[in-house]
Structure formats: C-alpha cells, structure tokens
Amino acid sequence: MSVHPGRCVPIETILLATCRFIAGGAFLLAAMMKLSDPPVFMLAIAAFGMLPEALIPFAAYAVPWIEVVAGVLLVYGFWSRPAGLVATGLYAVFTAALAWVFLSGASVDCGCFGGLFGRGDVGVTSLLRNAVFLTASIAVTWRGGGAASLDAVLAARRPAD
Amino acid sequence: MKSLLLRSLLIVAIALTAALADGALRGLRMPPKIQADKVPTLPVVQVRAGDTSPTAEPAGDGFTVEMLVALVESGTAILVDARSPAEHRAGRIPGSFQLEPGDVGAASARRDLVDFLAGTLAADPAMALVIYCGGGDCHASHDLGSQMIRYGFAEEQLFVFEGGYPAWVAAGHPIETGEPLF
C-alpha cells in the first residue's frame, strides 16, 4: 500500500503514522530531558525503590538511550515493528512501575520526561498518559509503520523477486 | 517473527552500547546523599510569636530573628525565599535568593542558581542554607528543602526559618524590594 496524490489517504495510514509520532516523539522528548542530567534521573529511579542501587546509574543511561534509538526509528518508520516492540516493552515496564507505586499509595515523584512538566507525584494522569503511549506502541508492533513510513517506501522500491 | 525479535534485540544492543559509552564518558556514579526513598525531616529553625521583637531572647530552643541576622552577617548562612517571584519582588529579606518548590531539577530554568547554591555549600561544610517563606505551616520551605536533599544537598546544612518573612518584618528589620539580581 502506498500514498498517491489526489487519492484519499487510508485511515490506517493516518492512525499508524500518528501512533508512531506519539510513541516515538514521547521517547525522544523524555530521552532528551533524562540525558541532559543523568544524576537527577538516577534519583527519580531510586525513588521507585525497585532497582538495586548498583544498577541505577547504568539504568539511568540505558533507558534514555533505548528511547533515543527506538524513538528515531519510530518517527522515521524504519524497522517500525521491531522499534514498536522495544517501545512496547519499555512502556509496559514504565506503566507497571507507575501502577505499583500508585497502588502502594507512596508519594513518589514520577520523574517522567525528566521533570520537564515540573514535579508531579505518580497518579492517574501519569498512568493514563503511559497507557496511551503503550497502546500506540502496540498498534505499531501489530500493524507496522503504515504506508507513510520509510519501511513502506523501501518495500515499494525493492525489486520483485 | 524471528526477524522481528532479532531486530528488536539489535536495537537494544545498539542503545546499550551507546549508553555504556556515554556513561563511561560522564561517569556511572550515583549522586551523593541519596534520600529519595523517604521524606527527610529538616531541622526546623523556629521563630515564635514572642521572639520576634528585636530584643527578645530565644525561648527554649527557639530561634530569634537576631540569631538569623547574626548568621547571615557572619557569612555562615545563605537565605532562600520559597515564596513566589511576585511576593519576592514585593518585599524580601535583603540578600536572599528566590526559589520555589519545583525549581530544583534538571529542566528547571533556575538550575544555574540551584547548582551555584549546591556548589557554595559543598565548598564550605560550615555554611548553612536557611529557607523561609510566608510563615504559617511553611509547607513551601519544607517542600523546597526536601527537593534540595533529593537533588544532592547535604541535609545537615539545610534549615527552615518557620517564622518567615512576616516574622522578619514584625521584628522591624529592613527589607529589600524590586527585581532581584538572580
């Protein structure tokens, strides 16, 4: 499937592109903030109390770099399904961690987006936001990047076997 | 399916390689004084109703405005106003900096000031940072202090002046108004 001028763009193309931009764009924004000051993100991870302290510094670099690589691939729509799978895994971990803290009733700073939107304890808003990102990632993993992705362009140019 | 998993693993491997290189360059170390898993109890510096006159003696363990003046004049304390920028402009304890809860963090526009204060305190362990606000329960001061400790400030150097700006004014001390330098 490809996009032709003058024709209606299929709704699936629009939806998948939107999902890619939501999941990938959020990853890139969050990674930029986290990588700008890793020690602050280390404190945010420590606040959740889920990782041994020895692993926290590595996680503070690993998580945003996974977000960078998967985010770029999702936005361009290259290797959309593998990038979507990685994003699904990461968003699932984030959502589970937020749900764990929320259900425990603890007052913990979300640490989401490196504090870009100010300090905010884990709550329904952060859970719903992550649920949206998780849904978008699952959609891309399931259906691919859609006709408006680099994957589709490359597939169209590939000579038929 | 096999290709999907292999490519996913390759994405993670590339990211982890970059993370290791970045961490090696910038340092894979935890910031000092991690206390993010609990709400710290700040030492409280209190001004009681009867202690606010310029000549008042401290009541019990109370802390008078005069003691605060002595600390600042001796160069052993920095003052931070935890009220809003508008309140700070309208009137403040002379020489105090303004920071609100939420200003401590990587994305904060006040990060330069926060890092300056952290560096000043780290360079001189005898230096104290006294946070004040609008009196009352002084939630803003305690919230700001907690965030500073989570950011890496040493807990033993942070104090809350619970009487706040009203106690300072009531004691008849001069105030500063207008745009602050920082």
Side-chain angles (χ1 to χ4, degrees), chain A residues 36-37 40, chain B residues 99 103-106 108 110-123 148 151-153:
Chain A
S36 70
D37 200 344
V40 171
Chain B
L99 284 174
D103 280 344
V104 184
S108 167
R110 313 302 310 278
R111 194 177 159 202
D112 285 349
L113 175 57
V114 174
D115 287 344
F116 164 73
L117 294 174
T120 305
L121 291 182
M148 285 177 151
Y151 190 72
F153 283 69

PDB file of all heavy atoms in Angstrom, chain A residues 36-37 40, chain B residues 99 103-106 108 110-123 148 151-153:
ATOM      1  N   SER A  36      20.011  15.011  29.676  1.00  0.00           N
ATOM      2  CA  SER A  36      20.570  16.329  29.991  1.00  0.00           C
ATOM      3  C   SER A  36      21.089  16.363  31.426  1.00  0.00           C
ATOM      4  O   SER A  36      21.928  17.192  31.761  1.00  0.00           O
ATOM      5  CB  SER A  36      19.522  17.419  29.778  1.00  0.00           C
ATOM      6  OG  SER A  36      18.516  17.323  30.759  1.00  0.00           O
ATOM      7  N   ASP A  37      20.592  15.492  32.274  1.00  0.00           N
ATOM      8  CA  ASP A  37      21.064  15.469  33.660  1.00  0.00           C
ATOM      9  C   ASP A  37      20.849  14.079  34.263  1.00  0.00           C
ATOM     10  O   ASP A  37      19.899  13.862  35.028  1.00  0.00           O
ATOM     11  CB  ASP A  37      20.320  16.526  34.481  1.00  0.00           C
ATOM     12  CG  ASP A  37      21.085  16.867  35.756  1.00  0.00           C
ATOM     13  OD1 ASP A  37      21.984  16.085  36.134  1.00  0.00           O
ATOM     14  OD2 ASP A  37      20.795  17.902  36.363  1.00  0.00           O
ATOM     15  N   VAL A  40      19.928  13.410  38.121  1.00  0.00           N
ATOM     16  CA  VAL A  40      18.549  13.665  38.553  1.00  0.00           C
ATOM     17  C   VAL A  40      17.662  12.474  38.199  1.00  0.00           C
ATOM     18  O   VAL A  40      16.788  12.070  38.986  1.00  0.00           O
ATOM     19  CB  VAL A  40      18.015  14.961  37.913  1.00  0.00           C
ATOM     20  CG1 VAL A  40      16.526  15.121  38.166  1.00  0.00           C
ATOM     21  CG2 VAL A  40      18.763  16.161  38.474  1.00  0.00           C
TER      22      VAL A  40
ATOM     23  N   LEU B  99      13.658  30.825  45.249  1.00  0.00           N
ATOM     24  CA  LEU B  99      13.438  29.525  44.599  1.00  0.00           C
ATOM     25  C   LEU B  99      12.113  28.982  45.109  1.00  0.00           C
ATOM     26  O   LEU B  99      11.829  29.094  46.303  1.00  0.00           O
ATOM     27  CB  LEU B  99      14.538  28.525  44.964  1.00  0.00           C
ATOM     28  CG  LEU B  99      15.907  28.655  44.302  1.00  0.00           C
ATOM     29  CD1 LEU B  99      16.864  27.658  44.938  1.00  0.00           C
ATOM     30  CD2 LEU B  99      15.819  28.413  42.805  1.00  0.00           C
ATOM     31  N   ASP B 103      11.516  24.215  41.476  1.00  0.00           N
ATOM     32  CA  ASP B 103      12.641  24.843  40.773  1.00  0.00           C
ATOM     33  C   ASP B 103      13.905  23.988  40.812  1.00  0.00           C
ATOM     34  O   ASP B 103      14.888  24.318  40.157  1.00  0.00           O
ATOM     35  CB  ASP B 103      12.971  26.209  41.402  1.00  0.00           C
ATOM     36  CG  ASP B 103      12.031  27.307  40.915  1.00  0.00           C
ATOM     37  OD1 ASP B 103      11.362  27.079  39.898  1.00  0.00           O
ATOM     38  OD2 ASP B 103      11.984  28.366  41.556  1.00  0.00           O
ATOM     39  N   VAL B 104      13.872  22.934  41.618  1.00  0.00           N
ATOM     40  CA  VAL B 104      15.067  22.090  41.749  1.00  0.00           C
ATOM     41  C   VAL B 104      14.922  20.896  40.817  1.00  0.00           C
ATOM     42  O   VAL B 104      14.084  20.039  41.036  1.00  0.00           O
ATOM     43  CB  VAL B 104      15.241  21.607  43.206  1.00  0.00           C
ATOM     44  CG1 VAL B 104      16.522  20.813  43.358  1.00  0.00           C
ATOM     45  CG2 VAL B 104      15.249  22.803  44.143  1.00  0.00           C
ATOM     46  N   GLY B 105      15.714  20.864  39.766  1.00  0.00           N
ATOM     47  CA  GLY B 105      15.631  19.754  38.826  1.00  0.00           C
ATOM     48  C   GLY B 105      16.364  20.067  37.548  1.00  0.00           C
ATOM     49  O   GLY B 105      16.746  21.222  37.293  1.00  0.00           O
ATOM     50  N   ALA B 106      16.535  19.029  36.747  1.00  0.00           N
ATOM     51  CA  ALA B 106      17.337  19.165  35.529  1.00  0.00           C
ATOM     52  C   ALA B 106      16.735  20.172  34.555  1.00  0.00           C
ATOM     53  O   ALA B 106      17.443  20.906  33.875  1.00  0.00           O
ATOM     54  CB  ALA B 106      17.459  17.817  34.851  1.00  0.00           C
ATOM     55  N   SER B 108      14.774  22.701  35.186  1.00  0.00           N
ATOM     56  CA  SER B 108      14.375  23.981  35.749  1.00  0.00           C
ATOM     57  C   SER B 108      15.161  25.132  35.143  1.00  0.00           C
ATOM     58  O   SER B 108      16.364  25.046  34.893  1.00  0.00           O
ATOM     59  CB  SER B 108      14.604  23.950  37.261  1.00  0.00           C
ATOM     60  OG  SER B 108      14.517  25.249  37.795  1.00  0.00           O
ATOM     61  N   ARG B 110      15.823  27.656  36.786  1.00  0.00           N
ATOM     62  CA  ARG B 110      16.637  28.179  37.881  1.00  0.00           C
ATOM     63  C   ARG B 110      17.795  27.259  38.220  1.00  0.00           C
ATOM     64  O   ARG B 110      18.370  27.357  39.306  1.00  0.00           O
ATOM     65  CB  ARG B 110      15.783  28.380  39.139  1.00  0.00           C
ATOM     66  CG  ARG B 110      14.463  29.090  38.942  1.00  0.00           C
ATOM     67  CD  ARG B 110      14.595  30.492  38.342  1.00  0.00           C
ATOM     68  NE  ARG B 110      15.554  31.349  39.003  1.00  0.00           N
ATOM     69  CZ  ARG B 110      15.321  32.044  40.115  1.00  0.00           C
ATOM     70  NH1 ARG B 110      14.167  31.959  40.699  1.00  0.00           N
ATOM     71  NH2 ARG B 110      16.247  32.836  40.621  1.00  0.00           N
ATOM     72  N   ARG B 111      18.098  26.341  37.319  1.00  0.00           N
ATOM     73  CA  ARG B 111      19.110  25.330  37.642  1.00  0.00           C
ATOM     74  C   ARG B 111      20.478  25.943  37.934  1.00  0.00           C
ATOM     75  O   ARG B 111      21.219  25.451  38.788  1.00  0.00           O
ATOM     76  CB  ARG B 111      19.218  24.333  36.491  1.00  0.00           C
ATOM     77  CG  ARG B 111      19.984  23.104  36.903  1.00  0.00           C
ATOM     78  CD  ARG B 111      20.042  22.097  35.799  1.00  0.00           C
ATOM     79  NE  ARG B 111      21.170  21.212  36.055  1.00  0.00           N
ATOM     80  CZ  ARG B 111      21.774  20.494  35.147  1.00  0.00           C
ATOM     81  NH1 ARG B 111      21.364  20.565  33.904  1.00  0.00           N
ATOM     82  NH2 ARG B 111      22.775  19.720  35.454  1.00  0.00           N
ATOM     83  N   ASP B 112      20.814  27.019  37.209  1.00  0.00           N
ATOM     84  CA  ASP B 112      22.116  27.654  37.443  1.00  0.00           C
ATOM     85  C   ASP B 112      22.229  28.120  38.887  1.00  0.00           C
ATOM     86  O   ASP B 112      23.271  27.956  39.522  1.00  0.00           O
ATOM     87  CB  ASP B 112      22.313  28.845  36.497  1.00  0.00           C
ATOM     88  CG  ASP B 112      22.618  28.384  35.086  1.00  0.00           C
ATOM     89  OD1 ASP B 112      22.869  27.171  34.918  1.00  0.00           O
ATOM     90  OD2 ASP B 112      22.593  29.224  34.173  1.00  0.00           O
ATOM     91  N   LEU B 113      21.150  28.712  39.392  1.00  0.00           N
ATOM     92  CA  LEU B 113      21.165  29.195  40.773  1.00  0.00           C
ATOM     93  C   LEU B 113      21.251  28.026  41.752  1.00  0.00           C
ATOM     94  O   LEU B 113      22.007  28.072  42.728  1.00  0.00           O
ATOM     95  CB  LEU B 113      19.898  30.035  41.041  1.00  0.00           C
ATOM     96  CG  LEU B 113      19.706  30.512  42.478  1.00  0.00           C
ATOM     97  CD1 LEU B 113      20.899  31.326  42.954  1.00  0.00           C
ATOM     98  CD2 LEU B 113      18.428  31.333  42.608  1.00  0.00           C
ATOM     99  N   VAL B 114      20.457  26.976  41.475  1.00  0.00           N
ATOM    100  CA  VAL B 114      20.483  25.797  42.358  1.00  0.00           C
ATOM    101  C   VAL B 114      21.886  25.201  42.411  1.00  0.00           C
ATOM    102  O   VAL B 114      22.409  24.877  43.483  1.00  0.00           O
ATOM    103  CB  VAL B 114      19.457  24.741  41.871  1.00  0.00           C
ATOM    104  CG1 VAL B 114      19.585  23.455  42.687  1.00  0.00           C
ATOM    105  CG2 VAL B 114      18.042  25.279  41.972  1.00  0.00           C
ATOM    106  N   ASP B 115      22.510  25.069  41.241  1.00  0.00           N
ATOM    107  CA  ASP B 115      23.862  24.495  41.198  1.00  0.00           C
ATOM    108  C   ASP B 115      24.872  25.410  41.887  1.00  0.00           C
ATOM    109  O   ASP B 115      25.816  24.939  42.528  1.00  0.00           O
ATOM    110  CB  ASP B 115      24.283  24.230  39.747  1.00  0.00           C
ATOM    111  CG  ASP B 115      23.549  23.031  39.160  1.00  0.00           C
ATOM    112  OD1 ASP B 115      22.974  22.249  39.946  1.00  0.00           O
ATOM    113  OD2 ASP B 115      23.542  22.877  37.926  1.00  0.00           O
ATOM    114  N   PHE B 116      24.664  26.720  41.757  1.00  0.00           N
ATOM    115  CA  PHE B 116      25.549  27.667  42.441  1.00  0.00           C
ATOM    116  C   PHE B 116      25.440  27.487  43.959  1.00  0.00           C
ATOM    117  O   PHE B 116      26.448  27.430  44.676  1.00  0.00           O
ATOM    118  CB  PHE B 116      25.181  29.104  42.056  1.00  0.00           C
ATOM    119  CG  PHE B 116      25.756  30.155  42.963  1.00  0.00           C
ATOM    120  CD1 PHE B 116      27.105  30.466  42.922  1.00  0.00           C
ATOM    121  CD2 PHE B 116      24.954  30.811  43.890  1.00  0.00           C
ATOM    122  CE1 PHE B 116      27.634  31.423  43.783  1.00  0.00           C
ATOM    123  CE2 PHE B 116      25.474  31.764  44.745  1.00  0.00           C
ATOM    124  CZ  PHE B 116      26.825  32.067  44.688  1.00  0.00           C
ATOM    125  N   LEU B 117      24.197  27.376  44.449  1.00  0.00           N
ATOM    126  CA  LEU B 117      23.997  27.202  45.891  1.00  0.00           C
ATOM    127  C   LEU B 117      24.581  25.867  46.360  1.00  0.00           C
ATOM    128  O   LEU B 117      25.233  25.791  47.409  1.00  0.00           O
ATOM    129  CB  LEU B 117      22.503  27.266  46.224  1.00  0.00           C
ATOM    130  CG  LEU B 117      21.826  28.622  45.982  1.00  0.00           C
ATOM    131  CD1 LEU B 117      20.320  28.508  46.203  1.00  0.00           C
ATOM    132  CD2 LEU B 117      22.410  29.694  46.896  1.00  0.00           C
ATOM    133  N   ALA B 118      24.351  24.813  45.567  1.00  0.00           N
ATOM    134  CA  ALA B 118      24.881  23.489  45.932  1.00  0.00           C
ATOM    135  C   ALA B 118      26.403  23.532  45.997  1.00  0.00           C
ATOM    136  O   ALA B 118      27.021  22.978  46.920  1.00  0.00           O
ATOM    137  CB  ALA B 118      24.411  22.446  44.913  1.00  0.00           C
ATOM    138  N   GLY B 119      27.018  24.200  45.014  1.00  0.00           N
ATOM    139  CA  GLY B 119      28.479  24.296  44.984  1.00  0.00           C
ATOM    140  C   GLY B 119      29.025  25.092  46.158  1.00  0.00           C
ATOM    141  O   GLY B 119      30.037  24.718  46.767  1.00  0.00           O
ATOM    142  N   THR B 120      28.323  26.178  46.504  1.00  0.00           N
ATOM    143  CA  THR B 120      28.757  27.017  47.629  1.00  0.00           C
ATOM    144  C   THR B 120      28.712  26.226  48.935  1.00  0.00           C
ATOM    145  O   THR B 120      29.643  26.281  49.751  1.00  0.00           O
ATOM    146  CB  THR B 120      27.848  28.260  47.741  1.00  0.00           C
ATOM    147  OG1 THR B 120      27.860  28.942  46.489  1.00  0.00           O
ATOM    148  CG2 THR B 120      28.340  29.203  48.825  1.00  0.00           C
ATOM    149  N   LEU B 121      27.629  25.476  49.128  1.00  0.00           N
ATOM    150  CA  LEU B 121      27.501  24.692  50.368  1.00  0.00           C
ATOM    151  C   LEU B 121      28.507  23.541  50.399  1.00  0.00           C
ATOM    152  O   LEU B 121      29.080  23.242  51.448  1.00  0.00           O
ATOM    153  CB  LEU B 121      26.082  24.140  50.503  1.00  0.00           C
ATOM    154  CG  LEU B 121      24.969  25.147  50.771  1.00  0.00           C
ATOM    155  CD1 LEU B 121      23.642  24.431  50.931  1.00  0.00           C
ATOM    156  CD2 LEU B 121      25.251  25.967  52.019  1.00  0.00           C
ATOM    157  N   ALA B 122      28.714  22.917  49.241  1.00  0.00           N
ATOM    158  CA  ALA B 122      29.648  21.791  49.201  1.00  0.00           C
ATOM    159  C   ALA B 122      31.074  22.260  49.494  1.00  0.00           C
ATOM    160  O   ALA B 122      31.868  21.536  50.100  1.00  0.00           O
ATOM    161  CB  ALA B 122      29.577  21.108  47.834  1.00  0.00           C
ATOM    162  N   ALA B 123      31.381  23.499  49.073  1.00  0.00           N
ATOM    163  CA  ALA B 123      32.740  24.014  49.267  1.00  0.00           C
ATOM    164  C   ALA B 123      33.005  24.382  50.725  1.00  0.00           C
ATOM    165  O   ALA B 123      34.155  24.428  51.155  1.00  0.00           O
ATOM    166  CB  ALA B 123      32.962  25.241  48.375  1.00  0.00           C
ATOM    167  N   MET B 148      15.695  19.768  47.586  1.00  0.00           N
ATOM    168  CA  MET B 148      17.140  20.040  47.551  1.00  0.00           C
ATOM    169  C   MET B 148      17.932  18.833  48.049  1.00  0.00           C
ATOM    170  O   MET B 148      18.977  18.493  47.496  1.00  0.00           O
ATOM    171  CB  MET B 148      17.452  21.263  48.415  1.00  0.00           C
ATOM    172  CG  MET B 148      17.047  22.576  47.764  1.00  0.00           C
ATOM    173  SD  MET B 148      17.371  23.955  48.856  1.00  0.00           S
ATOM    174  CE  MET B 148      17.671  25.265  47.672  1.00  0.00           C
ATOM    175  N   TYR B 151      18.086  16.343  45.485  1.00  0.00           N
ATOM    176  CA  TYR B 151      18.975  16.781  44.398  1.00  0.00           C
ATOM    177  C   TYR B 151      20.440  16.551  44.766  1.00  0.00           C
ATOM    178  O   TYR B 151      21.309  16.474  43.899  1.00  0.00           O
ATOM    179  CB  TYR B 151      18.725  18.269  44.136  1.00  0.00           C
ATOM    180  CG  TYR B 151      19.376  18.828  42.888  1.00  0.00           C
ATOM    181  CD1 TYR B 151      18.902  18.495  41.626  1.00  0.00           C
ATOM    182  CD2 TYR B 151      20.462  19.689  42.979  1.00  0.00           C
ATOM    183  CE1 TYR B 151      19.479  19.012  40.489  1.00  0.00           C
ATOM    184  CE2 TYR B 151      21.052  20.218  41.838  1.00  0.00           C
ATOM    185  CZ  TYR B 151      20.553  19.873  40.598  1.00  0.00           C
ATOM    186  OH  TYR B 151      21.140  20.392  39.456  1.00  0.00           O
ATOM    187  N   GLY B 152      20.746  16.457  46.064  1.00  0.00           N
ATOM    188  CA  GLY B 152      22.123  16.201  46.474  1.00  0.00           C
ATOM    189  C   GLY B 152      22.660  17.146  47.535  1.00  0.00           C
ATOM    190  O   GLY B 152      23.808  17.015  47.956  1.00  0.00           O
ATOM    191  N   PHE B 153      21.837  18.100  47.987  1.00  0.00           N
ATOM    192  CA  PHE B 153      22.281  18.985  49.061  1.00  0.00           C
ATOM    193  C   PHE B 153      22.427  18.163  50.344  1.00  0.00           C
ATOM    194  O   PHE B 153      21.686  17.210  50.570  1.00  0.00           O
ATOM    195  CB  PHE B 153      21.249  20.105  49.317  1.00  0.00           C
ATOM    196  CG  PHE B 153      21.263  21.217  48.313  1.00  0.00           C
ATOM    197  CD1 PHE B 153      20.836  21.004  47.012  1.00  0.00           C
ATOM    198  CD2 PHE B 153      21.686  22.491  48.661  1.00  0.00           C
ATOM    199  CE1 PHE B 153      20.838  22.026  46.076  1.00  0.00           C
ATOM    200  CE2 PHE B 153      21.690  23.527  47.737  1.00  0.00           C
ATOM    201  CZ  PHE B 153      21.268  23.289  46.439  1.00  0.00           C
TER     202      PHE B 153
END
